[in-house]
């Protein structure tokens, strides 16, 4: 029997309260918490008790969401707990790997929302080393190493103790999207878009094997998560092919070849995950190699299948639990729960009984089997200089490695006290008594914070008692009242309703999926498992499954824009150590208690001043129509920005006085620890703030903008804007402000100058209105490290300002989804370039396109409406003209235009890797279509003047985004020379390049 639960509240909602894509999920080793990472750049940690039992879900005293972490500035692509459960590692397309640890104390309010963190999870390490998106992270079985992979085609090995970079592995020629450690500890496996899986030694970090056969003809995918069997004998790799058939290849540890594969899914398999428990085929026989079997889960699109390696077909298939692609899977350490997340923005948990799989191998069998490989780890690789430097100020290394087992995971120890970030060498028997002690997985308990919460309820919220949960909800002897029964599923297949449409029953001599090698070293039995031949037997019907979706109360989010008020939390407020020296203004100031957090004024649209713009793309103006304006954020009594690093904790905070002599005034201060670094007072309320490691800035209610240095000096005189800021963003030395009247300005605080004069957002809004979104709104405002503003609108248009052209430029537009076969997330195409910032923008716009199509009328041409009235539209006169050209011509033209726009967007956003990808894709498209004139123009642009000399009078620039144009030209010409129609052009200019190089 299987219990399926899909709660509707475990989501990452956007500002419209709609679920956003969840890219990764990880269940804690003690099963008390589950972490999710989403497209909203956040990581959320949830209590599993309310998910698994509706009694606890309906109990207001039991917390559901334990913590929201916001230190990443990009999409969170992967999250993984270490095996002891002490640390959580996360990788993001902001190129950073974060290490999270639980600390004592109150969690505090999540900036920009009404959420209150119950647990105090902090980023204790920020690992910098990747040059592009981090797509995967993995811990070694003993937690000595952490591996991260990314779209920069590199593998980085970090110490699992000090978190220093130990080794960089090069060898892949494409984006790396999968990484897994050998449970024995001897190897590391990585899977890449270059259609290879590479095996690395964990002793020498040298390449051991390069596996290519199962991946010939494999398409590109957004996610590729491979898995290693718990006993260590096999790797199951997704995105594998056997001729034209999508399979999951089974790679044998002895030979690093794939003679078996799992056939059945009709779509690309993107995720594979082994159950960590080892099973026996026959409980009456000893636990040796031939008698062992394992359980593995696969997913392709929205379908999940469960396979037992002793059977030649899936044990069960789930086809209707999710509406969109499943992106990650995570098994609980006791093997009874499988957690899944989807691009639709929800998670689901499938609860099994181990007896439904096979008899469980006796205790110690797994460790005994690992010993048969005869491997003993050599002295672990360490960066000794880094360890010596860190030994006096790091608490991340204990006296012994953190090891945990399935039966008794290590305790999750919260750091506390003013020296929490300093190393305190403790032996296991010396652990402090006041700590979090998650129970063994076979005795389910709520997160320990619920007991700690009774002693330290956080300030600003009415105190309430969170009750402890006595035991695992499914160990209760009675069924809770008013609890909707989870789905019950029998494994016996039925004769109708196939969930896995192309699953075929194969004729196997032994009926095994695949076998571990014989313990005596002999080869596995022949014909074991699924062969790659297209099956010919009649399809085996599998029961179709539908999960029960529990409806819960809607979560009300703050209407203020979260991004407009915050600072990237992982950045220090200042790199200037001198800010801590000597006396400071306000050093004797006591931090006021934040017990009276309330809203002094709700968000509003200013109406006392004249507007400077309005929507004007209507046929005529309507009487009583209000010009468009942006809302001023709400004024609250308190606000703060907490910024973390490994040494200091800086907090920028402000207080708006609602009573007394200072009513209507505001106080701003920066505090580190218990010391106030500086304090200042303002005559008007603060509405929003932003900052970076170089400055902080606040917008006040009357339209003033104040910018402070790290020590509290005012860098600018008070800037008077036309209205208060609706958006305020900071990046390095740059500050972006968008006022409620639509003025956009960027300043460089290091040069004390504006990057460009104030601009109006009117052209953005008027040019981006659509029939389905006649009044677009700003959904995101951001700054690039070079000071370029990027603004995304609800209509799907994403724009940037080009100071050289003195105009707004469109980086992305929903138009490309209609005609370009390279559009991001177009199924089966458009995934070759991986996920960079340009493609990330397209992916977000694609969600808007999908929503717009769903909301449009059946003919796809919804009328434009304004305030309930149909706006008049001008209809051209004359007879309708016949369509000119073919669909192939249309798609060819739009596809090339799309690639050209992508290249310009990559230049504007400084995305060097994407620029090269788009350039080569553009060249392939030109060669396929044979457009010689366009191709030669591109060649001349990259070649430049034949006799170009640096420093001469020629205005040609020999580089673009750090790439040498002529080096890029070599790759472009190689594509042309291999094509059927541009061979002569390619060879001609290849000869020209050789002559230039020889001159």
């Amino acid at each position: 029997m299987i219990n399926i639960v899909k709660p509707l509240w475990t989501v990452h909602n956007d500002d419209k309260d709609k679920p956003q894509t969840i890219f990764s999920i990880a269940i804690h080793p003690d099963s008390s918490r589950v972490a999710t990472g989403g497209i909203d750049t956040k990581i959320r940690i949830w209590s599993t008790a309310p998910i698994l039992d509706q009694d606890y879900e309906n109990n207001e005293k039991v917390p559901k969401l334990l913590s929201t972490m916001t230190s990443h500035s990009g999409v969170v692509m992967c999250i993984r707990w270490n095996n002891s459960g002490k640390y959580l590692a996360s990788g993001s397309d902001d190129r950073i790997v974060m290490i999270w640890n639980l600390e004592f104390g109150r969690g505090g309010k999540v900036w920009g929302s009404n959420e209150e963190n119950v647990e105090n999870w902090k980023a204790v390490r920020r690992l910098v080393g990747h040059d592009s998106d981090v797509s995967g992270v993995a811990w070694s079985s003993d937690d000595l190493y952490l591996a991260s992979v990314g779209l920069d085609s590199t593998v980085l090995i970090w110490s699992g103790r000090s978190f220093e970079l130990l080794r960089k592995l090069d060898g892949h020629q494409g984006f790396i999207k999968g990484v897994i450690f050998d449970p024995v500890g001897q190897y590391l496996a990585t899977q890449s878009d270059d259609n290879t899986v590479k095996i690395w030694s964990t002793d020498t970090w040298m390449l051991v094997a390069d596996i290519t056969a199962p991946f010939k003809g494999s398409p590109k995918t957004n996610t590729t998560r491979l898995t290693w069997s718990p006993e260590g004998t096999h790797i199951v790799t997704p995105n594998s092919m056997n001729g034209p058939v999508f399979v999951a290849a089974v790679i044998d540890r002895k030979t690093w070849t794939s003679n078996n594969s799992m056939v059945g899914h009709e779509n690309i398999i993107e995720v594979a995950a082994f159950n960590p428990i080892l099973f026996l085929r026959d409980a009456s026989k000893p636990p040796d190699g031939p008698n062992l079997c394992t359980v593995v889960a696969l997913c392709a699109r929205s379908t999940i299948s469960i396979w037992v390696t002793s059977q030649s077909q899936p044990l069960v298939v789930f086809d209707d639990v999710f509406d969109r692609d499943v992106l990650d899977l995570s098994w609980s350490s006791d093997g009874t729960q499988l957690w899944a997340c989807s691009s639709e923005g929800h998670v689901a948990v499938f609860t099994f009984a181990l007896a439904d799989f096979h008899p469980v191998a006796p205790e110690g069998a797994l460790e005994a089997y690992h010993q048969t490989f005869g491997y003993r780890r050599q002295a672990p690789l360490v960066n000794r200089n880094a360890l010596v430097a860190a030994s006096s100020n790091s608490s991340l290394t204990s006296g012994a490695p953190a090891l945990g087992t399935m039966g008794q995971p290590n305790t999750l120890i919260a750091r506390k006290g003013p020296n929490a970030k300093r190393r305190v060498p403790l032996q296991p028997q010396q652990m402090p008594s006041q700590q979090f002690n998650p129970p063994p997985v076979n005795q389910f308990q709520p997160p320990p914070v619920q007991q700690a919460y009774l002693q330290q309820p956080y300030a600003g919220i009415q105190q309430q008692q969170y009750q402890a949960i006595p035991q695992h909800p499914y160990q209760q002897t009675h069924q809770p009242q008013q609890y909707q029964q989870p789905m019950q599923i029998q494994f016996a297949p039925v004769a109708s309703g196939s969930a896995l449409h192309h699953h075929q029953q194969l004729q196997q001599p032994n009926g095994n999926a695949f076998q571990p090698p014989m313990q005596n070293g002999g080869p596995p039995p022949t014909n074991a498992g699924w062969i790659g031949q297209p099956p010919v037997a009649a399809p085996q019907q599998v029961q179709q499954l539908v999960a029960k979706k529990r409806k819960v109360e809607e979560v009300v989010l703050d209407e203020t824009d979260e991004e407009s008020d915050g600072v990237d939390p992982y950045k220090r407020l200042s790199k200037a150590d001198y800010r801590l020296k000597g006396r400071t203004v306000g050093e004797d100031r006591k931090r006021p208690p934040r017990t009276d957090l309330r809203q002094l004024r709700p968000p509003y649209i200013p109406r006392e001043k004249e507007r400077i713009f309005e929507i004007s793309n209507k046929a005529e103006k309507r009487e009583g129509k209000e010009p468009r304006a942006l809302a001023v954020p709400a004024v609250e009594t308190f606000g703060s920005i907490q910024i973390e690093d490994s040494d200091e904790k800086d907090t920028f905070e402000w207080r708006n006085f609602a009573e007394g002599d200072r009513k209507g005034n505001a106080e701003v201060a920066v505090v580190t620890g218990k010391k106030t670094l500086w304090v200042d007072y303002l005559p008007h309320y603060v509405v929003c703030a932003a900052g970076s490691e170089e400055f902080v800035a606040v917008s006040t209610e009357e339209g003033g903008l104040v910018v402070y240095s790290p020590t509290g000096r005012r860098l600018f005189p008070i800037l008077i804007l036309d209205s208060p800021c609706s958006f305020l963003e900071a990046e390095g030395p740059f500050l972006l402000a968008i006022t409620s009247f639509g003025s956009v300005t960027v300043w460089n605080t290091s040069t004390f100058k504006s990057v460009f004069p104030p601009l109006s957002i009117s052209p953005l809004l008027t040019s981006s209105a659509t029939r389905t979104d006649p009044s677009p709104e700003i959904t995101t405002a951001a700054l690039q490290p070079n000071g370029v503003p990027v603004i995304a609108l609800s209509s799907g248009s994403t724009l940037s300002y080009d100071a050289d052209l003195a105009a707004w430029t469109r980086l992305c537009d929903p138009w490309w989804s209609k005609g370009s076969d390279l559009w991001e997330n177009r199924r089966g195409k458009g995934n070759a370039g991986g996920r960079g910032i340009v493609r990330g923008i397209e992916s977000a716009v694609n969600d808007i396109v999908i929503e717009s199509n769903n909301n449009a009328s059946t003919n796809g041409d919804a009328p434009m409406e304004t305030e309930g009235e149909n706006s008049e539209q001008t209809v051209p006169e004359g007879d309708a003209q016949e369509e000119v050209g073919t669909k192939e011509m249309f798609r060819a033209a739009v596809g090339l235009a799309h690639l050209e726009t992508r290249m310009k967007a990559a230049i504007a956003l400084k995305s060097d890797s994407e620029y090269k990808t788009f350039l080569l894709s553009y060249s392939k498209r030109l060669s396929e279509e044979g457009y010689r004139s366009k191709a030669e123009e591109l060649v001349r642009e990259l070649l430049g003047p034949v006799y170009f000399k640096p420093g001469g009078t020629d205005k040609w620039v020999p580089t673009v985004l750090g790439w040498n144009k002529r080096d890029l030209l070599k790759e472009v010409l190689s594509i042309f020379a291999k094509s059927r129609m541009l061979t002569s052009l390619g060879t001609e200019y290849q000869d020209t390049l050789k002559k230039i190089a020889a001159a």
Side-chain angles (χ1 to χ4, degrees):
M1 183 178 70
I2 304 174
N3 295 297
I4 305 177
V5 178
K6 184 182 180 184
L8 299 183
W9 46 266
T10 51
V11 293
H12 291 237
N13 279 339
D14 58 15
D15 54 3
K16 295 182 180 179
D17 206 23
K18 294 183 179 180
Q20 300 183 87
T21 296
I22 299 177
F23 275 98
S24 189
I25 190 168
I27 179 69
H28 191 273
D30 69 7
S31 298
S32 64
R33 306 163 178 83
V34 63
T36 56
I39 198 173
D40 60 351
T41 76
K42 298 176 183 177
I43 299 170
R44 296 182 186 270
I45 297 181
W46 311 84
S47 171
T48 57
I51 299 175
L52 297 172
D53 192 300
Q54 196 166 13
D55 264 5
Y56 300 126
E57 180 187 39
N58 296 334
N59 192 335
E60 295 182 355
K61 295 182 179 180
V62 178
K64 297 181 178 68
L65 178 60
L66 300 179
S67 186
T68 298
M69 295 106 83
T70 58
S71 290
H72 279 297
S73 60
V75 175
V76 180
M77 305 294 293
C78 186
I79 52 176
R80 292 293 183 264
W81 297 99
N82 72 343
N83 295 279
S84 70
K86 183 177 182 180
Y87 298 121
L88 177 69
S90 60
S92 165
D93 67 7
D94 61 8
R95 308 180 183 185
I96 304 300
V97 176
M98 290 280 187
I99 306 298
W100 305 86
N101 181 245
L102 179 63
E103 294 185 347
F104 270 98
R106 299 182 295 270
K109 187 176 181 181
V110 180
W111 176 254
S113 75
N114 291 327
E115 294 179 14
E116 193 83 20
N117 282 338
V118 178
E119 291 188 336
N120 192 22
W121 288 89
K122 296 297 181 184
V124 295
R125 282 293 186 270
R126 179 173 177 264
L127 309 184
V128 180
H130 284 283
D131 296 327
S132 189
D133 305 7
V134 180
S135 56
V137 293
W139 298 87
S140 62
S141 58
D142 54 8
D143 289 339
L144 285 178
Y145 298 122
L146 170 68
S148 61
V149 298
L151 305 192
D152 56 1
S153 303
T154 61
V155 185
L156 299 185
I157 307 299
W158 311 85
S159 167
R161 296 177 174 179
S162 66
F163 296 105
E164 301 296 333
L165 180 62
L166 302 178
R167 189 64 62 89
K168 179 179 180 181
L169 308 181
D170 295 312
H172 280 292
Q173 302 300 316
F175 301 149
I176 308 175
K177 297 177 181 177
V179 59
I180 190 72
F181 272 97
D182 166 22
V184 178
Q186 189 174 7
Y187 301 114
L188 172 74
T190 55
Q191 187 168 359
S192 168
D193 276 356
D194 61 8
N195 291 348
T196 67
V197 165
K198 297 186 186 297
I199 309 298
W200 312 82
S201 167
T202 58
D203 290 329
T204 64
W205 298 111
M206 301 297 289
L207 185 63
V208 175
D210 193 5
I211 306 167
T212 60
F215 314 107
K216 293 180 179 179
S218 294
K220 310 305 179 186
T221 60
N222 286 328
T223 57
T224 306
R225 307 191 195 274
L226 71 168
T227 185
W228 210 308
S229 62
E231 84 288 357
T233 57
H234 293 90
I235 307 172
V236 170
T237 59
N239 195 23
S240 306
M241 300 294 293
N242 199 319
V245 180
F246 297 120
V247 301
V250 181
I251 298 173
D252 180 77
R253 181 195 187 97
K254 280 182 171 282
T255 61
W256 303 123
T257 58
S258 174
N259 298 319
N260 310 308
S261 56
M262 296 180 172
V263 182
H265 283 280
E266 63 178 348
N267 294 307
I268 303 170
I269 299 171
E270 294 187 289
V271 183
F274 266 106
N275 187 307
I277 303 301
L278 192 61
F279 298 91
L280 299 177
R281 300 170 186 265
D282 187 344
S284 63
K285 296 182 179 180
D288 55 11
N291 194 34
L292 298 178
C293 64
T294 51
V295 174
V296 64
L298 307 176
C299 69
R301 295 282 176 87
S302 60
T303 300
I304 300 175
S305 59
I306 308 296
W307 305 69
V308 179
T309 57
S310 62
Q311 300 178 9
S312 60
Q313 61 184 15
L315 185 68
V316 66
V317 177
F318 307 97
D319 196 31
D320 292 325
V321 178
F322 293 105
D323 297 325
R324 295 177 63 183
D325 294 4
V326 177
L327 299 179
D328 201 5
L329 299 171
S330 178
W331 285 95
S332 61
S333 59
D334 65 354
T336 61
Q337 299 169 15
L338 175 65
W339 295 75
C341 64
S342 167
S343 59
E344 72 181 40
H346 292 96
V347 305
V349 56
F350 307 81
T351 303
F352 304 85
L354 293 179
D356 291 330
F357 296 131
H358 263 288
V360 177
E363 185 175 358
L366 188 62
E367 293 75 11
Y369 197 86
H370 287 173
Q371 294 176 4
T372 63
F373 292 100
Y375 172 74
R376 290 187 178 181
R377 184 186 294 283
Q378 299 178 9
L381 182 66
V382 295
N383 184 333
R384 300 191 182 278
N385 294 332
L387 289 178
V388 171
S391 62
S392 62
N393 59 9
S394 172
S395 68
L396 300 181
T397 309
S398 61
L403 299 175
T405 65
M406 184 193 71
Q408 180 62 55
N410 275 15
T411 54
L412 188 61
I413 302 171
R415 302 181 305 154
K416 63 176 182 176
N419 297 322
K421 295 187 179 182
R422 297 179 182 174
R423 175 185 292 185
V424 183
L426 296 176
Q427 298 301 322
Q429 65 270 21
Q430 296 174 325
M431 290 297 178
S433 59
Q434 185 183 5
Q435 62 186 18
F436 289 166
N437 295 298
V441 293
N442 58 353
Q443 297 177 4
F444 184 88
Q445 296 274 345
V449 72
Q450 298 170 11
Q451 285 81 11
Y453 186 88
L454 298 177
Q455 303 170 2
Q456 295 180 327
Y458 45 81
I461 301 296
Q462 183 180 2
Q463 298 186 12
Q464 51 186 327
Q465 300 283 313
Y466 280 169
Q467 70 177 21
I469 302 173
Q471 59 183 357
H472 194 293
Y474 292 114
Q475 292 176 345
Q476 297 182 5
T477 58
H478 66 279
Q479 183 69 27
Q481 294 182 358
Q482 304 300 324
Y483 178 62
Q484 188 175 22
Q485 281 275 9
M487 172 174 296
Q488 299 184 358
I489 301 163
Q490 301 297 328
F491 286 140
V494 296
S496 61
S498 176
L500 188 58
H501 306 293
H502 284 257
H503 166 207
Q504 307 281 345
Q505 183 177 10
L506 304 182
Q507 303 298 324
Q508 298 293 341
N510 53 14
N512 299 335
F514 55 91
Q515 284 191 336
M518 303 290 288
Q519 198 163 3
N520 61 6
T526 58
N527 296 328
W530 288 269
I531 59 175
Q533 301 292 335
V536 295
Q540 176 70 32
Q541 305 294 334
V542 182
Q543 184 175 2
Q544 217 169 15
L545 309 174
V546 181
K548 300 294 184 181
K549 302 182 179 181
R550 299 207 298 249
K551 295 184 178 179
V552 297
E553 64 279 1
E554 294 184 359
V555 180
V556 180
L557 298 180
D558 193 347
E559 293 181 358
T560 58
D561 190 307
E562 176 182 337
E563 295 186 356
S564 66
D565 299 331
V567 179
D568 291 341
Y570 61 81
K571 293 181 179 177
R572 289 188 57 173
L573 184 60
S574 174
K575 297 177 180 177
D577 294 335
Y578 57 78
R579 78 195 195 287
L580 301 171
K581 298 178 180 178
R583 295 198 61 203
T584 60
V585 178
E587 63 183 356
D588 299 326
R589 166 183 175 268
K590 295 183 179 180
R591 298 179 71 177
R594 301 179 61 178
T595 57
D596 188 26
L597 178 62
R598 66 183 190 276
Q599 194 176 90
L600 302 179
R601 178 189 49 70
Y604 73 96
I605 297 177
R607 300 183 183 278
E608 67 274 10
K609 298 180 182 180
E610 179 184 358
R611 310 293 206 294
I612 61 172
F613 69 97
E614 63 180 31
I615 292 293
S616 58
N617 59 336
K618 305 292 191 296
E620 62 182 28
K621 296 181 179 179
R622 299 281 185 182
E623 287 189 7
K625 178 182 178 298
E626 287 290 341
R628 187 180 176 80
L630 299 168
V632 179
V635 173
E636 296 183 330
T637 49
F638 296 98
S640 67
I641 304 169
Q642 193 173 74
I643 305 166
E644 295 285 343
D645 79 343
S646 59
D647 300 316
E648 302 292 340
K649 179 189 292 183
D650 292 345
T651 302
F652 177 67
E653 53 189 26
W654 62 93
R655 182 182 186 187
N656 293 317
F657 297 101
E659 294 90 13
D661 296 337
R662 295 182 184 174
K663 182 177 181 180
N665 302 157
E667 177 189 70
V668 295
V670 167
V671 178
T672 180
K674 295 183 178 179
K675 182 178 180 180
T676 298
L677 297 185
W678 57 264
V679 65
D680 193 20
Y681 296 90
L682 301 172
H684 302 280
Y685 285 151
V686 172
V687 295
C688 59
S692 70
E693 69 274 15
E694 300 187 24
F695 71 93
V696 289
V698 295
S699 172
T700 53
E701 194 175 25
E702 92 292 359
L705 185 65
V706 187
V707 184
Y708 295 100
S709 75
T711 60
R713 294 173 55 247
R714 298 194 180 193
L715 294 178
F716 293 169
I718 296 179
L719 305 180
I720 304 300
L721 309 181
D722 56 25
S723 58
C725 292
S726 290
F727 291 84
L728 198 61
E729 296 291 331
E731 177 68 33
F734 297 101
L735 174 65
L736 164 68
I738 302 179
T739 70
S740 59
F741 285 166
S743 296
V744 183
T745 310
V746 175
W747 296 271
N748 188 332
T749 61
S750 63
T751 62
F752 307 104
K753 294 181 179 179
S754 64
V755 178
F756 44 75
L759 307 169
S760 172
I761 61 172
S762 179
L764 280 66
L765 301 176
T766 56
S767 64
S768 301
T770 64
R771 290 183 173 87
T772 55
D773 191 0
S775 300
E777 300 174 354
I778 296 177
T779 58
T780 303
L783 270 173
Q784 294 303 300
N786 60 347
V788 174
V790 177
I791 295 177
L793 303 179
S794 59
S795 62
S797 290
T798 304
L799 306 104
S800 176
Y801 186 77
D802 191 318
D804 293 334
L805 299 176
W808 290 99
T809 60
R810 185 167 281 117
L811 303 176
C812 185
D813 193 276
W815 156 255
W816 304 121
S817 68
K818 298 181 179 180
S820 174
D821 56 359
L822 298 170
W823 177 249
E824 180 70 9
N825 286 348
R826 186 179 295 280
R827 296 193 181 277
K829 299 182 180 180
N831 293 321
R835 288 190 57 85
I837 183 171
V838 177
R839 305 198 69 152
I841 290 173
E842 282 194 10
S843 180
V845 173
N846 186 69
D847 292 337
I848 296 176
V849 171
I850 294 174
E851 180 180 356
S852 176
N853 291 340
N854 292 337
N855 294 336
S857 60
T858 54
N859 62 4
D861 191 35
M864 182 182 292
E865 297 181 357
T866 304
E867 299 180 2
E869 299 183 66
N870 292 334
S871 59
E872 298 177 7
Q873 302 181 29
T874 303
V875 180
E877 297 181 357
D879 297 332
Q881 299 294 315
E882 293 184 0
E883 183 178 354
V884 179
T886 63
K887 291 183 178 180
E888 289 73 17
M889 182 188 302
F890 172 78
R891 290 194 175 276
V894 174
L896 288 174
H898 184 202
L899 282 169
E900 291 163 358
T901 302
R902 276 181 162 183
M903 288 190 288
K904 297 300 181 183
I907 293 175
L909 299 176
K910 304 296 183 184
S911 182
D912 51 352
S913 60
E914 282 189 301
Y915 173 78
K916 182 178 180 180
T917 299
F918 298 151
L919 173 65
L920 298 181
S921 297
Y922 184 67
S923 303
K924 291 178 182 177
R925 184 59 62 92
L926 293 177
S927 64
E928 291 169 358
E929 301 293 341
Y931 297 139
R932 182 183 174 100
S933 59
K934 287 180 178 287
E936 186 164 1
E937 189 174 71
L938 174 64
V939 169
R940 291 176 179 272
E941 178 183 311
L942 295 174
L943 178 65
V946 174
Y947 299 103
F948 172 78
K949 292 183 179 180
T953 58
D954 293 317
K955 296 182 179 180
W956 181 70
V957 179
T959 61
V960 54
L961 297 179
W963 299 106
N964 184 289
K965 289 183 178 179
R966 288 179 177 174
D967 289 342
L968 293 175
L969 179 58
K970 292 179 182 178
E971 298 188 46
V972 171
L973 292 176
S974 177
I975 294 173
F976 291 165
K978 296 176 182 178
S979 70
R980 181 171 56 88
M981 292 182 282
L982 298 181
T983 304
S984 59
L985 177 67
T987 55
E988 174 188 347
Y989 277 95
Q990 282 178 334
D991 293 339
T992 301
L993 274 181
K994 292 177 182 178
K995 293 177 181 178
I996 293 175

